[in-house]
PDB file of all heavy atoms in Angstrom:
ATOM      1  N   GLU A  82      56.156 -39.909 -13.732  1.00 83.00           N
ATOM      2  CA  GLU A  82      57.535 -39.646 -13.325  1.00 83.00           C
ATOM      3  C   GLU A  82      58.403 -39.450 -14.565  1.00 83.00           C
ATOM      4  O   GLU A  82      58.316 -40.203 -15.529  1.00 83.00           O
ATOM      5  CB  GLU A  82      58.042 -40.814 -12.472  1.00 83.00           C
ATOM      6  CG  GLU A  82      59.238 -40.496 -11.605  1.00 83.00           C
ATOM      7  CD  GLU A  82      60.550 -40.719 -12.342  1.00 83.00           C
ATOM      8  OE1 GLU A  82      60.609 -41.623 -13.198  1.00 83.00           O
ATOM      9  OE2 GLU A  82      61.516 -39.973 -12.065  1.00 83.00           O
ATOM     10  N   LYS A  83      59.251 -38.432 -14.537  1.00 85.00           N
ATOM     11  CA  LYS A  83      60.013 -38.040 -15.719  1.00 85.00           C
ATOM     12  C   LYS A  83      60.845 -39.185 -16.285  1.00 85.00           C
ATOM     13  O   LYS A  83      60.866 -39.424 -17.495  1.00 85.00           O
ATOM     14  CB  LYS A  83      60.909 -36.848 -15.376  1.00 85.00           C
ATOM     15  CG  LYS A  83      61.689 -36.305 -16.560  1.00 85.00           C
ATOM     16  CD  LYS A  83      62.601 -35.168 -16.152  1.00 85.00           C
ATOM     17  CE  LYS A  83      61.839 -33.969 -15.648  1.00 85.00           C
ATOM     18  NZ  LYS A  83      62.734 -32.809 -15.375  1.00 85.00           N
ATOM     19  N   ARG A  84      61.523 -39.917 -15.426  1.00 89.00           N
ATOM     20  CA  ARG A  84      62.385 -41.004 -15.909  1.00 89.00           C
ATOM     21  C   ARG A  84      61.563 -42.090 -16.594  1.00 89.00           C
ATOM     22  O   ARG A  84      61.968 -42.643 -17.626  1.00 89.00           O
ATOM     23  CB  ARG A  84      63.175 -41.588 -14.743  1.00 89.00           C
ATOM     24  CG  ARG A  84      64.191 -42.647 -15.161  1.00 89.00           C
ATOM     25  CD  ARG A  84      65.020 -43.092 -13.976  1.00 89.00           C
ATOM     26  NE  ARG A  84      65.786 -41.987 -13.412  1.00 89.00           N
ATOM     27  CZ  ARG A  84      66.560 -42.105 -12.339  1.00 89.00           C
ATOM     28  NH1 ARG A  84      66.665 -43.255 -11.711  1.00 89.00           N
ATOM     29  NH2 ARG A  84      67.234 -41.059 -11.891  1.00 89.00           N
ATOM     30  N   ALA A  85      60.384 -42.392 -16.030  1.00 90.00           N
ATOM     31  CA  ALA A  85      59.525 -43.417 -16.623  1.00 90.00           C
ATOM     32  C   ALA A  85      59.016 -42.975 -17.990  1.00 90.00           C
ATOM     33  O   ALA A  85      58.921 -43.787 -18.923  1.00 90.00           O
ATOM     34  CB  ALA A  85      58.363 -43.722 -15.687  1.00 90.00           C
ATOM     35  N   ILE A  86      58.671 -41.699 -18.127  1.00 93.00           N
ATOM     36  CA  ILE A  86      58.180 -41.191 -19.402  1.00 93.00           C
ATOM     37  C   ILE A  86      59.276 -41.250 -20.459  1.00 93.00           C
ATOM     38  O   ILE A  86      59.047 -41.683 -21.595  1.00 93.00           O
ATOM     39  CB  ILE A  86      57.658 -39.752 -19.238  1.00 93.00           C
ATOM     40  CG1 ILE A  86      56.402 -39.746 -18.366  1.00 93.00           C
ATOM     41  CG2 ILE A  86      57.360 -39.122 -20.603  1.00 93.00           C
ATOM     42  CD1 ILE A  86      55.939 -38.362 -17.976  1.00 93.00           C
ATOM     43  N   ARG A  87      60.482 -40.833 -20.095  1.00 92.00           N
ATOM     44  CA  ARG A  87      61.585 -40.873 -21.066  1.00 92.00           C
ATOM     45  C   ARG A  87      61.895 -42.302 -21.488  1.00 92.00           C
ATOM     46  O   ARG A  87      62.185 -42.565 -22.674  1.00 92.00           O
ATOM     47  CB  ARG A  87      62.821 -40.199 -20.473  1.00 92.00           C
ATOM     48  CG  ARG A  87      62.658 -38.694 -20.323  1.00 92.00           C
ATOM     49  CD  ARG A  87      63.931 -38.024 -19.824  1.00 92.00           C
ATOM     50  NE  ARG A  87      63.724 -36.586 -19.684  1.00 92.00           N
ATOM     51  CZ  ARG A  87      64.661 -35.741 -19.251  1.00 92.00           C
ATOM     52  NH1 ARG A  87      65.863 -36.195 -18.936  1.00 92.00           N
ATOM     53  NH2 ARG A  87      64.395 -34.448 -19.160  1.00 92.00           N
ATOM     54  N   ALA A  88      61.808 -43.248 -20.550  1.00 93.00           N
ATOM     55  CA  ALA A  88      62.050 -44.648 -20.882  1.00 93.00           C
ATOM     56  C   ALA A  88      60.964 -45.167 -21.817  1.00 93.00           C
ATOM     57  O   ALA A  88      61.250 -45.902 -22.773  1.00 93.00           O
ATOM     58  CB  ALA A  88      62.108 -45.486 -19.607  1.00 93.00           C
ATOM     59  N   ALA A  89      59.699 -44.775 -21.578  1.00 93.00           N
ATOM     60  CA  ALA A  89      58.599 -45.217 -22.428  1.00 93.00           C
ATOM     61  C   ALA A  89      58.748 -44.672 -23.845  1.00 93.00           C
ATOM     62  O   ALA A  89      58.497 -45.387 -24.824  1.00 93.00           O
ATOM     63  CB  ALA A  89      57.268 -44.783 -21.824  1.00 93.00           C
ATOM     64  N   VAL A  90      59.153 -43.419 -23.957  1.00 95.00           N
ATOM     65  CA  VAL A  90      59.354 -42.820 -25.278  1.00 95.00           C
ATOM     66  C   VAL A  90      60.507 -43.514 -25.997  1.00 95.00           C
ATOM     67  O   VAL A  90      60.414 -43.838 -27.191  1.00 95.00           O
ATOM     68  CB  VAL A  90      59.607 -41.307 -25.162  1.00 95.00           C
ATOM     69  CG1 VAL A  90      60.043 -40.720 -26.504  1.00 95.00           C
ATOM     70  CG2 VAL A  90      58.360 -40.596 -24.647  1.00 95.00           C
ATOM     71  N   ALA A  91      61.600 -43.749 -25.293  1.00 95.00           N
ATOM     72  CA  ALA A  91      62.748 -44.434 -25.900  1.00 95.00           C
ATOM     73  C   ALA A  91      62.363 -45.833 -26.379  1.00 95.00           C
ATOM     74  O   ALA A  91      62.752 -46.261 -27.477  1.00 95.00           O
ATOM     75  CB  ALA A  91      63.898 -44.507 -24.897  1.00 95.00           C
ATOM     76  N   ASP A  92      61.577 -46.552 -25.571  1.00 94.00           N
ATOM     77  CA  ASP A  92      61.145 -47.894 -25.965  1.00 94.00           C
ATOM     78  C   ASP A  92      60.247 -47.839 -27.195  1.00 94.00           C
ATOM     79  O   ASP A  92      60.353 -48.690 -28.090  1.00 94.00           O
ATOM     80  CB  ASP A  92      60.388 -48.562 -24.811  1.00 94.00           C
ATOM     81  CG  ASP A  92      61.299 -48.963 -23.658  1.00 94.00           C
ATOM     82  OD1 ASP A  92      62.532 -48.977 -23.857  1.00 94.00           O
ATOM     83  OD2 ASP A  92      60.775 -49.249 -22.562  1.00 94.00           O
ATOM     84  N   ALA A  93      59.389 -46.844 -27.244  1.00 93.00           N
ATOM     85  CA  ALA A  93      58.472 -46.720 -28.383  1.00 93.00           C
ATOM     86  C   ALA A  93      59.213 -46.466 -29.685  1.00 93.00           C
ATOM     87  O   ALA A  93      58.765 -46.900 -30.753  1.00 93.00           O
ATOM     88  CB  ALA A  93      57.477 -45.595 -28.121  1.00 93.00           C
ATOM     89  N   LEU A  94      60.340 -45.783 -29.584  1.00 94.00           N
ATOM     90  CA  LEU A  94      61.066 -45.390 -30.789  1.00 94.00           C
ATOM     91  C   LEU A  94      62.164 -46.378 -31.185  1.00 94.00           C
ATOM     92  O   LEU A  94      62.936 -46.108 -32.105  1.00 94.00           O
ATOM     93  CB  LEU A  94      61.657 -43.995 -30.589  1.00 94.00           C
ATOM     94  CG  LEU A  94      60.623 -42.888 -30.367  1.00 94.00           C
ATOM     95  CD1 LEU A  94      61.304 -41.543 -30.213  1.00 94.00           C
ATOM     96  CD2 LEU A  94      59.597 -42.851 -31.484  1.00 94.00           C
ATOM     97  N   ILE A  95      62.214 -47.519 -30.498  1.00 93.00           N
ATOM     98  CA  ILE A  95      63.163 -48.560 -30.917  1.00 93.00           C
ATOM     99  C   ILE A  95      62.833 -49.023 -32.333  1.00 93.00           C
ATOM    100  O   ILE A  95      63.728 -49.293 -33.145  1.00 93.00           O
ATOM    101  CB  ILE A  95      63.123 -49.743 -29.925  1.00 93.00           C
ATOM    102  CG1 ILE A  95      63.770 -49.329 -28.600  1.00 93.00           C
ATOM    103  CG2 ILE A  95      63.850 -50.955 -30.514  1.00 93.00           C
ATOM    104  CD1 ILE A  95      63.673 -50.385 -27.521  1.00 93.00           C
ATOM    105  N   ASP A  96      61.538 -49.098 -32.621  1.00 92.00           N
ATOM    106  CA  ASP A  96      61.097 -49.446 -33.974  1.00 92.00           C
ATOM    107  C   ASP A  96      61.308 -48.238 -34.877  1.00 92.00           C
ATOM    108  O   ASP A  96      60.662 -47.195 -34.699  1.00 92.00           O
ATOM    109  CB  ASP A  96      59.620 -49.833 -33.945  1.00 92.00           C
ATOM    110  CG  ASP A  96      59.099 -50.260 -35.320  1.00 92.00           C
ATOM    111  OD1 ASP A  96      59.809 -50.068 -36.326  1.00 92.00           O
ATOM    112  OD2 ASP A  96      57.955 -50.762 -35.375  1.00 92.00           O
ATOM    113  N   PRO A  97      62.171 -48.324 -35.867  1.00 91.00           N
ATOM    114  CA  PRO A  97      62.460 -47.162 -36.719  1.00 91.00           C
ATOM    115  C   PRO A  97      61.289 -46.736 -37.586  1.00 91.00           C
ATOM    116  O   PRO A  97      61.298 -45.636 -38.151  1.00 91.00           O
ATOM    117  CB  PRO A  97      63.641 -47.636 -37.584  1.00 91.00           C
ATOM    118  CG  PRO A  97      63.518 -49.125 -37.599  1.00 91.00           C
ATOM    119  CD  PRO A  97      62.962 -49.500 -36.260  1.00 91.00           C
ATOM    120  N   ASP A  98      60.266 -47.577 -37.698  1.00 93.00           N
ATOM    121  CA  ASP A  98      59.116 -47.243 -38.531  1.00 93.00           C
ATOM    122  C   ASP A  98      58.062 -46.428 -37.795  1.00 93.00           C
ATOM    123  O   ASP A  98      57.107 -45.944 -38.426  1.00 93.00           O
ATOM    124  CB  ASP A  98      58.465 -48.523 -39.072  1.00 93.00           C
ATOM    125  CG  ASP A  98      59.367 -49.250 -40.067  1.00 93.00           C
ATOM    126  OD1 ASP A  98      60.148 -48.562 -40.767  1.00 93.00           O
ATOM    127  OD2 ASP A  98      59.300 -50.487 -40.130  1.00 93.00           O
ATOM    128  N   VAL A  99      58.209 -46.273 -36.477  1.00 95.00           N
ATOM    129  CA  VAL A  99      57.227 -45.506 -35.717  1.00 95.00           C
ATOM    130  C   VAL A  99      57.284 -44.043 -36.145  1.00 95.00           C
ATOM    131  O   VAL A  99      58.346 -43.415 -36.129  1.00 95.00           O
ATOM    132  CB  VAL A  99      57.475 -45.619 -34.200  1.00 95.00           C
ATOM    133  CG1 VAL A  99      56.617 -44.610 -33.432  1.00 95.00           C
ATOM    134  CG2 VAL A  99      57.176 -47.023 -33.722  1.00 95.00           C
ATOM    135  N   SER A 100      56.133 -43.501 -36.520  1.00 96.00           N
ATOM    136  CA  SER A 100      56.091 -42.116 -36.988  1.00 96.00           C
ATOM    137  C   SER A 100      55.152 -41.240 -36.171  1.00 96.00           C
ATOM    138  O   SER A 100      55.144 -40.024 -36.352  1.00 96.00           O
ATOM    139  CB  SER A 100      55.670 -42.064 -38.461  1.00 96.00           C
ATOM    140  OG  SER A 100      54.392 -42.648 -38.623  1.00 96.00           O
ATOM    141  N   ARG A 101      54.349 -41.854 -35.278  1.00 98.00           N
ATOM    142  CA  ARG A 101      53.408 -41.063 -34.470  1.00 98.00           C
ATOM    143  C   ARG A 101      53.263 -41.671 -33.084  1.00 98.00           C
ATOM    144  O   ARG A 101      53.159 -42.891 -32.926  1.00 98.00           O
ATOM    145  CB  ARG A 101      52.043 -40.985 -35.141  1.00 98.00           C
ATOM    146  CG  ARG A 101      50.988 -40.237 -34.317  1.00 98.00           C
ATOM    147  CD  ARG A 101      49.686 -40.065 -35.081  1.00 98.00           C
ATOM    148  NE  ARG A 101      49.874 -39.217 -36.273  1.00 98.00           N
ATOM    149  CZ  ARG A 101      48.888 -38.860 -37.089  1.00 98.00           C
ATOM    150  NH1 ARG A 101      47.640 -39.273 -36.847  1.00 98.00           N
ATOM    151  NH2 ARG A 101      49.134 -38.096 -38.148  1.00 98.00           N
ATOM    152  N   ILE A 102      53.245 -40.785 -32.081  1.00 97.00           N
ATOM    153  CA  ILE A 102      52.978 -41.176 -30.698  1.00 97.00           C
ATOM    154  C   ILE A 102      51.643 -40.562 -30.294  1.00 97.00           C
ATOM    155  O   ILE A 102      51.400 -39.376 -30.530  1.00 97.00           O
ATOM    156  CB  ILE A 102      54.099 -40.689 -29.760  1.00 97.00           C
ATOM    157  CG1 ILE A 102      55.367 -41.534 -29.952  1.00 97.00           C
ATOM    158  CG2 ILE A 102      53.664 -40.733 -28.308  1.00 97.00           C
ATOM    159  CD1 ILE A 102      56.541 -41.056 -29.132  1.00 97.00           C
ATOM    160  N   VAL A 103      50.792 -41.376 -29.696  1.00 98.00           N
ATOM    161  CA  VAL A 103      49.515 -40.895 -29.172  1.00 98.00           C
ATOM    162  C   VAL A 103      49.638 -40.796 -27.653  1.00 98.00           C
ATOM    163  O   VAL A 103      49.831 -41.799 -26.970  1.00 98.00           O
ATOM    164  CB  VAL A 103      48.352 -41.821 -29.548  1.00 98.00           C
ATOM    165  CG1 VAL A 103      47.048 -41.297 -28.940  1.00 98.00           C
ATOM    166  CG2 VAL A 103      48.228 -41.931 -31.059  1.00 98.00           C
ATOM    167  N   VAL A 104      49.549 -39.591 -27.140  1.00 97.00           N
ATOM    168  CA  VAL A 104      49.742 -39.330 -25.711  1.00 97.00           C
ATOM    169  C   VAL A 104      48.385 -39.289 -25.021  1.00 97.00           C
ATOM    170  O   VAL A 104      47.548 -38.429 -25.330  1.00 97.00           O
ATOM    171  CB  VAL A 104      50.490 -38.003 -25.486  1.00 97.00           C
ATOM    172  CG1 VAL A 104      50.734 -37.773 -23.993  1.00 97.00           C
ATOM    173  CG2 VAL A 104      51.804 -38.000 -26.254  1.00 97.00           C
ATOM    174  N   THR A 105      48.180 -40.209 -24.073  1.00 96.00           N
ATOM    175  CA  THR A 105      46.912 -40.285 -23.346  1.00 96.00           C
ATOM    176  C   THR A 105      47.184 -40.160 -21.852  1.00 96.00           C
ATOM    177  O   THR A 105      47.622 -41.116 -21.210  1.00 96.00           O
ATOM    178  CB  THR A 105      46.176 -41.605 -23.634  1.00 96.00           C
ATOM    179  OG1 THR A 105      46.021 -41.773 -25.045  1.00 96.00           O
ATOM    180  CG2 THR A 105      44.808 -41.616 -22.962  1.00 96.00           C
ATOM    181  N   PRO A 106      46.945 -38.987 -21.284  1.00 96.00           N
ATOM    182  CA  PRO A 106      47.151 -38.803 -19.844  1.00 96.00           C
ATOM    183  C   PRO A 106      45.947 -39.298 -19.052  1.00 96.00           C
ATOM    184  O   PRO A 106      44.878 -39.561 -19.608  1.00 96.00           O
ATOM    185  CB  PRO A 106      47.286 -37.283 -19.711  1.00 96.00           C
ATOM    186  CG  PRO A 106      46.369 -36.771 -20.785  1.00 96.00           C
ATOM    187  CD  PRO A 106      46.465 -37.750 -21.926  1.00 96.00           C
ATOM    188  N   LEU A 107      46.120 -39.424 -17.741  1.00 94.00           N
ATOM    189  CA  LEU A 107      44.989 -39.648 -16.868  1.00 94.00           C
ATOM    190  C   LEU A 107      44.141 -38.374 -16.825  1.00 94.00           C
ATOM    191  O   LEU A 107      44.638 -37.273 -17.076  1.00 94.00           O
ATOM    192  CB  LEU A 107      45.460 -40.012 -15.463  1.00 94.00           C
ATOM    193  CG  LEU A 107      46.214 -41.343 -15.332  1.00 94.00           C
ATOM    194  CD1 LEU A 107      46.727 -41.517 -13.908  1.00 94.00           C
ATOM    195  CD2 LEU A 107      45.329 -42.525 -15.732  1.00 94.00           C
ATOM    196  N   ASP A 108      42.877 -38.528 -16.517  1.00 93.00           N
ATOM    197  CA  ASP A 108      41.982 -37.386 -16.449  1.00 93.00           C
ATOM    198  C   ASP A 108      42.254 -36.603 -15.164  1.00 93.00           C
ATOM    199  O   ASP A 108      42.128 -37.147 -14.062  1.00 93.00           O
ATOM    200  CB  ASP A 108      40.529 -37.860 -16.475  1.00 93.00           C
ATOM    201  CG  ASP A 108      39.560 -36.743 -16.803  1.00 93.00           C
ATOM    202  OD1 ASP A 108      40.018 -35.635 -17.116  1.00 93.00           O
ATOM    203  OD2 ASP A 108      38.344 -36.986 -16.741  1.00 93.00           O
ATOM    204  N   GLY A 109      42.683 -35.356 -15.295  1.00 91.00           N
ATOM    205  CA  GLY A 109      42.972 -34.574 -14.100  1.00 91.00           C
ATOM    206  C   GLY A 109      43.856 -33.387 -14.393  1.00 91.00           C
ATOM    207  O   GLY A 109      44.198 -33.101 -15.550  1.00 91.00           O
ATOM    208  N   ALA A 110      44.273 -32.728 -13.325  1.00 91.00           N
ATOM    209  CA  ALA A 110      45.028 -31.481 -13.461  1.00 91.00           C
ATOM    210  C   ALA A 110      46.410 -31.677 -14.060  1.00 91.00           C
ATOM    211  O   ALA A 110      46.999 -30.733 -14.577  1.00 91.00           O
ATOM    212  CB  ALA A 110      45.153 -30.817 -12.090  1.00 91.00           C
ATOM    213  N   GLY A 111      46.943 -32.884 -14.015  1.00 94.00           N
ATOM    214  CA  GLY A 111      48.296 -33.116 -14.523  1.00 94.00           C
ATOM    215  C   GLY A 111      48.376 -33.545 -15.969  1.00 94.00           C
ATOM    216  O   GLY A 111      49.462 -33.902 -16.450  1.00 94.00           O
ATOM    217  N   ALA A 112      47.250 -33.483 -16.693  1.00 96.00           N
ATOM    218  CA  ALA A 112      47.238 -33.988 -18.065  1.00 96.00           C
ATOM    219  C   ALA A 112      48.218 -33.241 -18.975  1.00 96.00           C
ATOM    220  O   ALA A 112      48.999 -33.851 -19.715  1.00 96.00           O
ATOM    221  CB  ALA A 112      45.827 -33.914 -18.637  1.00 96.00           C
ATOM    222  N   ASP A 113      48.191 -31.912 -18.939  1.00 97.00           N
ATOM    223  CA  ASP A 113      49.085 -31.134 -19.803  1.00 97.00           C
ATOM    224  C   ASP A 113      50.543 -31.337 -19.425  1.00 97.00           C
ATOM    225  O   ASP A 113      51.426 -31.345 -20.295  1.00 97.00           O
ATOM    226  CB  ASP A 113      48.720 -29.654 -19.743  1.00 97.00           C
ATOM    227  CG  ASP A 113      47.447 -29.329 -20.501  1.00 97.00           C
ATOM    228  OD1 ASP A 113      46.952 -30.183 -21.258  1.00 97.00           O
ATOM    229  OD2 ASP A 113      46.935 -28.200 -20.338  1.00 97.00           O
ATOM    230  N   ALA A 114      50.823 -31.487 -18.141  1.00 96.00           N
ATOM    231  CA  ALA A 114      52.203 -31.719 -17.701  1.00 96.00           C
ATOM    232  C   ALA A 114      52.720 -33.038 -18.265  1.00 96.00           C
ATOM    233  O   ALA A 114      53.903 -33.155 -18.614  1.00 96.00           O
ATOM    234  CB  ALA A 114      52.281 -31.716 -16.177  1.00 96.00           C
ATOM    235  N   TYR A 115      51.851 -34.031 -18.364  1.00 96.00           N
ATOM    236  CA  TYR A 115      52.251 -35.328 -18.930  1.00 96.00           C
ATOM    237  C   TYR A 115      52.610 -35.170 -20.408  1.00 96.00           C
ATOM    238  O   TYR A 115      53.653 -35.658 -20.863  1.00 96.00           O
ATOM    239  CB  TYR A 115      51.133 -36.338 -18.741  1.00 96.00           C
ATOM    240  CG  TYR A 115      51.509 -37.734 -19.148  1.00 96.00           C
ATOM    241  CD1 TYR A 115      52.315 -38.521 -18.341  1.00 96.00           C
ATOM    242  CD2 TYR A 115      51.079 -38.269 -20.359  1.00 96.00           C
ATOM    243  CE1 TYR A 115      52.682 -39.803 -18.712  1.00 96.00           C
ATOM    244  CE2 TYR A 115      51.434 -39.551 -20.751  1.00 96.00           C
ATOM    245  CZ  TYR A 115      52.234 -40.316 -19.915  1.00 96.00           C
ATOM    246  OH  TYR A 115      52.602 -41.588 -20.297  1.00 96.00           O
ATOM    247  N   LEU A 116      51.748 -34.486 -21.159  1.00 97.00           N
ATOM    248  CA  LEU A 116      52.058 -34.227 -22.573  1.00 97.00           C
ATOM    249  C   LEU A 116      53.373 -33.474 -22.699  1.00 97.00           C
ATOM    250  O   LEU A 116      54.217 -33.813 -23.551  1.00 97.00           O
ATOM    251  CB  LEU A 116      50.932 -33.420 -23.212  1.00 97.00           C
ATOM    252  CG  LEU A 116      51.213 -32.879 -24.625  1.00 97.00           C
ATOM    253  CD1 LEU A 116      51.420 -34.014 -25.612  1.00 97.00           C
ATOM    254  CD2 LEU A 116      50.076 -31.955 -25.079  1.00 97.00           C
ATOM    255  N   ALA A 117      53.579 -32.455 -21.871  1.00 97.00           N
ATOM    256  CA  ALA A 117      54.800 -31.654 -21.948  1.00 97.00           C
ATOM    257  C   ALA A 117      56.040 -32.513 -21.724  1.00 97.00           C
ATOM    258  O   ALA A 117      57.067 -32.323 -22.389  1.00 97.00           O
ATOM    259  CB  ALA A 117      54.748 -30.526 -20.920  1.00 97.00           C
TER     260      ALA A 117
END
């Protein structure tokens, strides 16, 4: 869900030292949509 993804990204970036996000989707047709 878009709102959940944006919240997860915002939470991940609270730490100013974070420089890389590793995106791991579920296996299936929606994997690329999750990365996007």
Side-chain angles (χ1 to χ4, degrees):
E82 200 272 328
K83 183 182 296 186
R84 185 175 298 178
I86 293 171
R87 291 184 181 179
V90 171
D92 288 346
L94 298 181
I95 289 175
D96 182 349
D98 292 329
V99 169
S100 59
R101 177 174 296 183
I102 286 176
V103 178
V104 182
T105 306
L107 295 175
D108 196 6
D113 286 348
Y115 187 76
L116 171 63

